[in-house]
Amino acid sequence: MKNFEIISLEALKEGRNYLMEHESKQILAEYGLETTGAYLAKSEDEAVRIAGEIGYPVVLKVLSTQVIHKSDQGGVKLNLKDENAVREAFREIWQKFRDKGMIGVSVQKMAEPGIEVIVGVTKDETFGHILMFGLGGVFVEVLKDVSFRSIPITEHDAEDMIKEIRGYSILKGYRGFSADIEALKQLLIRISRIVEENPRIREMDLNPVFVYPKGYKIVDARIILEYAEHPKNEYTQSDLRPLFYPESVAVIGASNNPGKLGWNVFRNLLTHGFKGRLYPVNPNATEIQGKKAYRSIKEVPEPVDVAIILVPAKQTPNVVRECCEAGVKFIIVESAGFSELGEEGKALEKQMKSEIRKYGCRLVGPNCAGIINTHSGFVGSLGLLAELGKGNIGLIAQAGVYAAGFLWGLRKVMDFGIIATIGNKLDINETDMLEAIGKDENIEVVCMYLEDVKGGKRFIEVAKSITKQKPVIVLKTGRTEEGKRAASTHTASLAGNDQIYSAVFRQTGIIRARDNEHLFALARAFSKQPLPKNNAVFVITYAGSLGVASADAISLSGLRLAEIPKEVRDKLRKLMPSYVGSFNPLDLTFDQNPEQVKEVIETVLRWQGIGSIVLIMQTEKFGEYVDVLRSIDYKGVPIFAVVFGREFVMEDVIKLERAGIPVYTTPEQAIEVIATMWGYKSRFKLSEEIAGYPDIGSLTISEFKAGDSKQSRLTS
Ligand code: ADP
Ligand code: MG
């Protein structure tokens, strides 16, 4: 048996769910970690003998089943240089703690001072074990300067965790003292592995760890155990493709009365080019909106791929059962009145779940607004929708408004491929949707609106694999803490729910949006423009102040202003006012006009050093630019338009957006979007390209392809 098991069994026998310092350190040492050690001494003489063996100076600490913060209560005696000091320290500790569950003292080497860091583990309800790292002392106590990652971590995660904290510069080198970052990385990776191998570890605090120019020492350690077996997250795998590309659809509760939801849904299905077979089900009608109606799902002549249910909540479980019996593959429950309303609704959900599990049928919702796939014409939204373009954006939303209210306006400036609302997620959840929509060949960008995540570990796996292929942008709300559990370790008290989400998003390569505006600003860019091939930005403006603002935003976001070479400058000079000195940002002044801008862009693009273009235009002249901008061959270089007061020239904005050029209000917004695209590219696409095409200074074949497919809409 390994030490971990022996030690934790002993603790269990004593009714303890935590390990004391000497036990915790023993386990860590067994895994090859560096600790100051800790030997249990039950008497003064024993303490003296151990001190003599390990060598002075030593430290004595109380070992007790009741004392958690040893030094706060005077239970830590540092830097004891001889036998007398040890005897005195032992007596003091004994005096103070003999009635407080004291089992002895730990005797250990006094460690050389180093930079204090904290490494911890906690367990999150959603994502399971989480690793934490931070600088010790005020950095963690006051500034809460810590980083988190879900366990297991990769080497890249470990490095990223260390670099993420604000105190990283202190580790790198401060007053001639620098920390062994490599050793720290290895420590994080090992802790991750220990927890993976011993899932009974619930929490852990290594606080502090001293880090040296070479190596580290764990000075204090505490492990909390958990004996409860956790139920495995249930997870049914099935191919969701027929849900998005059904050949036959039944609408139960379809209606002939405009204004009813059952009218909307069926109308949408009739008017968006759905090629499959449609069956309205309504016991009180023979015909619905011109189609033969059926009294129940059982009368429908074939087992349909998808049944949409729109009957009152109370009747829904019955209808679900009938659907299952009729061999329906997927059910979408768009009715509301379930768990979101309380116990009664929860009971209805329970019934529905047991039915679908019995038959292996899958269910979306309840309380959702349906699914939209513009590519298959399957538009089953609750909200009545006019014509929708066939786009490359996938949207998964835990809120119906994304498939109804919002879409009314959004469709004018962006085209969606698939929109899946998930409602109460009784069966199919965000992870299932991400997996399916992430794989869909018509989707190039995935957006998500989430309030919570179910089955967090699988979410992490799926997200990791999708983000490598296409960007995933998430708006997650519910950031405020809904009251923290009483935490037994420091780490647990620091691990706020929202921070864990942020950490997981970062770890999996998900881009986190601040709000809806930001989400769709990013989505428009990723869906319409190719990724920048480098971080050099070229800015064209008509006002100096906006050029300055652009330059600031560019340098603050890790991008750079492209340095225009002399040959190009010579050509540009002929196109710009004689009194303008700077070539980037290039200020064309209020004389700026579309033909001139076109020539400037074409001149600069002939030189292949530009990663992206920001074009700032005058609001009053903006309309004149649309056709000209549409006619330019951007050669795979992304372009972003900026028009102050965008909302006042919306007609032209829509035209330009439809031509594939996203329009923003301020240069800062456009540049933030570019920085995010560049960040995505650097993380996932650059290494592949460097391997395949060593010359990243010029356009690569894959770039041309990516650029072509998205920018082709410009000319068509
Ligand atoms: P607790 O966290 O329970 O109060 P610690 O074991 O962390 O107790 O000790 C408190 C502080 O004493 C540590 O933060 C560290 O600065 C110092 N310390 C503890 N053990 C040692 C040691 N072996 N060598 C050097 N300093 C130590
Ligand atoms: Mg401590």
Side-chain angles (χ1 to χ4, degrees):
M1 233 196 308
K2 278 214 166 185
N3 259 337
F4 176 78
E5 271 125 81
I6 298 171
I7 293 170
S8 55
L9 275 176
E10 265 165 30
L12 178 65
K13 264 188 238 154
E14 289 172 23
R16 277 188 285 138
N17 74 333
Y18 64 94
L19 304 182
M20 284 180 279
E21 185 199 4
H22 64 302
E23 298 166 324
S24 306
K25 281 181 172 173
Q26 206 179 326
I27 289 167
L28 297 172
E30 191 187 343
Y31 279 95
L33 299 177
E34 299 288 334
T35 80
T36 51
Y39 298 92
L40 168 64
K42 294 197 167 179
S43 68
E44 193 181 311
D45 286 339
E46 206 180 351
V48 169
R49 183 181 55 75
I50 296 169
E53 276 168 22
I54 61 178
Y56 290 95
V58 297
V59 174
L60 256 57
K61 299 181 192 174
V62 61
L63 284 178
S64 148
T65 54
Q66 289 168 21
V67 179
I68 294 179
H69 300 293
K70 304 177 289 287
S71 54
D72 285 358
Q73 301 180 38
V76 176
K77 305 285 177 194
L78 299 172
N79 208 14
L80 308 171
K81 295 206 171 82
D82 52 35
E83 185 180 325
N84 281 340
V86 169
R87 288 189 184 280
E88 199 179 321
F90 188 95
R91 271 176 235 152
E92 274 181 40
I93 293 176
W94 176 250
Q95 283 287 324
K96 214 174 263 167
F97 296 100
R98 63 176 160 196
D99 306 327
K100 292 188 182 158
M102 178 167 165
I103 62 156
V105 299
S106 84
V107 185
Q108 60 193 266
K109 286 282 296 178
M110 175 76 191
E112 294 287 323
I115 297 179
E116 283 193 26
V117 304
I118 166 169
V119 175
V121 173
T122 183
K123 199 163 175 187
D124 179 77
E125 275 176 22
T126 306
F127 296 109
H129 285 110
I130 302 284
L131 186 65
M132 182 188 85
F133 170 73
L135 286 187
V138 291
F139 292 96
V140 53
E141 306 284 347
V142 184
L143 301 173
K144 311 214 180 314
D145 183 17
V146 290
S147 56
F148 299 94
R149 290 294 179 276
S150 161
I151 289 174
I153 62 162
T154 62
E155 202 163 327
H156 172 269
D157 291 332
E159 195 170 326
D160 206 30
M161 272 183 98
I162 297 170
K163 289 186 176 162
E164 186 184 317
I165 61 166
R166 277 167 288 162
Y168 174 58
S169 43
I170 294 174
L171 293 172
K172 257 192 336 193
Y174 167 71
R175 293 192 176 164
F177 191 95
S178 65
D180 188 341
I181 306 234
E182 189 50 41
L184 212 45
K185 238 171 78 179
Q186 292 314 319
L187 170 63
L188 293 174
I189 292 169
R190 290 231 181 141
I191 294 292
S192 166
R193 217 169 284 157
I194 293 173
V195 174
E196 238 192 316
E197 284 176 26
N198 304 288
R200 273 201 182 156
I201 297 176
R202 202 190 122 83
E203 290 169 32
M204 190 190 298
D205 257 356
L206 310 184
N207 182 21
V209 178
F210 288 179
V211 193
Y212 304 112
K214 214 168 165 352
Y216 66 87
K217 277 261 178 326
I218 297 166
V219 170
D220 184 21
R222 184 175 166 78
I223 291 175
I224 313 270
L225 303 169
E226 174 173 61
Y227 292 98
E229 288 297 326
H230 271 269
K232 278 225 153 104
N233 267 313
E234 59 162 353
Y235 157 48
T236 334
Q237 179 151 36
S238 42
D239 179 13
L240 299 191
R241 201 168 163 87
L243 177 61
F244 302 109
Y245 298 85
E247 285 174 11
S248 49
V249 176
V251 179
I252 303 165
S255 166
N256 275 324
N257 300 333
K260 288 230 161 191
L261 296 179
W263 196 84
N264 287 0
V265 172
F266 204 68
R267 191 87 218 134
N268 282 332
L269 285 166
L270 286 174
T271 53
H272 288 88
F274 177 62
K275 297 274 182 335
R277 298 172 295 282
L278 276 178
Y279 303 102
V281 175
N282 185 329
N284 306 316
T286 50
E287 204 176 84
I288 298 279
Q289 300 185 39
K291 287 250 169 199
K292 175 180 159 45
Y294 298 82
R295 294 174 53 78
S296 93
I297 186 74
K298 294 190 162 173
E299 289 181 12
V300 170
E302 62 171 318
V304 293
D305 286 335
V306 175
I308 300 174
I309 300 183
L310 284 151
V311 303
K314 280 212 171 68
Q315 298 165 26
T316 303
N318 254 339
V319 176
V320 165
R321 182 176 37 77
E322 287 179 359
C323 287
C324 290
E325 286 168 5
V328 171
K329 292 194 190 76
F330 293 93
I331 297 173
I332 304 174
V333 179
E334 300 191 19
S335 329
F338 296 91
S339 60
E340 77 276 14
L341 291 189
E343 287 310 315
E344 213 175 309
K346 266 187 204 152
L348 296 174
E349 285 191 3
K350 230 174 135 189
Q351 284 177 40
M352 301 195 305
K353 195 162 196 168
S354 81
E355 293 299 343
I356 56 166
R357 287 288 181 267
K358 231 188 287 169
Y359 291 88
C361 172
R362 303 294 313 262
L363 185 142
V364 182
N367 187 27
C368 75
I371 282 177
I372 293 171
N373 182 357
T374 54
H375 295 277
S376 65
F378 174 53
V379 175
S381 167
L382 277 182
L384 200 55
L385 291 166
E387 203 179 329
L388 297 169
K390 293 187 198 319
N392 60 0
I393 303 173
L395 173 61
I396 299 158
Q398 193 175 346
V401 71
Y402 288 83
F406 284 4
L407 200 53
W408 185 87
L410 281 177
R411 71 190 175 92
K412 298 190 179 184
V413 290
M414 55 203 295
D415 290 331
F416 292 88
I418 294 176
I419 300 177
T421 62
I422 51 182
N424 296 358
K425 312 192 273 194
L426 178 62
D427 174 31
I428 294 178
N429 62 28
E430 59 286 314
T431 308
D432 304 314
M433 290 294 193
L434 177 59
E435 194 169 38
I437 293 175
K439 274 195 301 210
D440 191 288
E441 69 278 8
N442 292 314
I443 301 302
E444 290 178 82
V445 186
V446 182
C447 296
M448 300 180 92
Y449 167 77
L450 296 175
E451 284 160 13
D452 60 357
V453 165
K454 284 189 174 173
K457 284 278 180 215
R458 201 183 134 238
F459 177 83
I460 290 174
E461 270 169 47
V462 169
K464 270 187 184 168
S465 84
I466 303 294
T467 53
K468 270 183 224 149
Q469 300 154 45
K470 41 193 92 166
V472 178
I473 311 163
V474 174
L475 171 59
K476 160 79 177 65
T477 57
R479 285 173 167 237
T480 41
E481 291 294 309
E482 55 280 16
K484 269 178 205 159
R485 288 172 287 132
S488 38
T489 54
H490 217 84
T491 306
S493 73
L494 284 163
N497 183 278
D498 192 62
Q499 277 161 301
I500 303 292
Y501 272 100
S502 280
V504 163
F505 292 160
R506 183 162 170 154
Q507 189 170 5
T508 53
I510 283 176
I511 298 160
R512 183 167 191 174
R514 285 184 298 273
D515 49 33
N516 277 300
E517 192 71 39
H518 190 209
L519 173 71
F520 294 118
L522 288 167
R524 284 186 285 126
F526 275 106
S527 74
K528 295 178 193 201
Q529 290 291 317
L531 297 172
K533 63 175 171 164
N534 63 40
N535 66 346
V537 186
F538 178 57
V539 180
I540 305 170
T541 179
Y542 69 97
S545 63
L546 295 172
V548 176
S550 304
D552 281 353
I554 285 169
S555 80
L556 286 173
S557 56
L559 300 167
R560 65 188 167 90
L561 279 167
E563 267 180 58
I564 312 292
K566 185 167 178 315
E567 320 83 84
V568 185
R569 275 191 272 164
D570 289 343
K571 288 184 190 126
L572 282 179
R573 207 167 272 128
K574 294 184 195 119
L575 300 169
M576 53 200 259
S578 57
Y579 52 88
V580 168
S582 153
F583 291 90
N584 189 15
L586 177 62
D587 183 359
L588 295 177
T589 75
F590 277 70
D591 291 337
Q592 187 195 57
N593 66 72
E595 280 310 321
Q596 175 196 30
V597 163
K598 177 176 169 143
E599 272 187 76
V600 164
I601 290 176
E602 285 173 348
T603 305
V604 170
L605 285 180
R606 245 169 265 136
W607 166 58
Q608 303 208 332
I610 299 278
S612 58
I613 301 169
V614 174
L615 170 60
I616 305 169
M617 287 165 282
Q618 295 171 64
T619 320
E620 59 273 37
K621 288 204 218 161
F622 175 59
E624 299 165 24
Y625 282 77
V626 175
D627 286 335
V628 178
L629 293 180
R630 215 198 308 245
S631 72
I632 299 173
D633 173 7
Y634 295 95
K635 297 186 165 35
V637 175
I639 174 157
F640 305 85
V642 174
V643 175
F644 192 79
R646 181 180 178 270
E647 62 273 34
F648 304 115
V649 286
M650 234 16 232
E651 241 173 73
D652 293 318
V653 168
I654 290 170
K655 276 188 208 151
L656 199 56
E657 288 273 359
R658 296 228 68 85
I661 299 179
V663 185
Y664 300 98
T665 299
T666 66
E668 288 89 341
Q669 285 169 352
I671 287 156
E672 186 188 27
V673 162
I674 297 172
T676 305
M677 290 177 98
W678 173 243
Y680 176 76
K681 165 104 170 207
S682 324
R683 173 161 177 165
F684 292 113
K685 305 285 175 189
L686 225 49
S687 55
E688 289 166 30
E689 245 168 54
I690 293 169
Y693 309 97
D695 178 16
I696 54 160
S698 62
L699 280 182
T700 61
I701 293 166
S702 69
E703 282 293 341
F704 265 121
K705 275 201 202 136
D708 281 348
S709 77
K710 284 180 185 163
Q711 287 188 339
S712 62
R713 258 172 294 163
L714 292 174
T715 39
S716 64

